[in-house]
Amino acid sequence: MKTGFLLILTIIAGARRDDGVAAVFDTRDRCERVGQMAVEQALTELSARGVRAGSAWFRCEEVRGRAIGDLTQ
């Protein structure tokens, strides 16, 4: 088993809320760096669409498991 970090984004635009796993990383540091960029990108896209009341958040959750690619090693 390996330890990984799920990047989970939450985007709120008006009355709509979307949560989803965006990626998996080997380190928390990389997860957080990409999460910060993803939040900035999401807010830029919301603004470009004219959404005035929007917010974006991220979290990195530590998880344990294996990927299909791990089975060949």
Side-chain angles (χ1 to χ4, degrees):
M1 294 277 176
K2 292 184 175 182
T3 298
F5 297 89
L6 298 178
L7 172 58
I8 302 168
L9 295 175
T10 300
I11 299 171
I12 302 168
R16 185 175 174 181
R17 174 183 167 154
D18 292 318
D19 294 292
V21 174
V24 180
F25 297 94
D26 291 339
T27 66
R28 180 178 297 278
D29 181 60
R30 183 149 185 235
C31 181
E32 290 181 357
R33 282 187 281 133
V34 173
Q36 290 172 7
M37 290 187 294
V39 163
E40 294 301 325
Q41 181 179 353
L43 293 176
T44 298
E45 290 174 7
L46 287 174
S47 179
R49 288 190 299 173
V51 176
R52 300 177 99 189
S55 64
W57 306 87
F58 80 92
R59 68 183 185 276
C60 295
E61 281 190 18
E62 184 175 325
V63 293
R64 300 223 4 112
R66 290 176 59 179
I68 291 173
D70 294 341
L71 300 177
T72 60
Q73 298 176 6

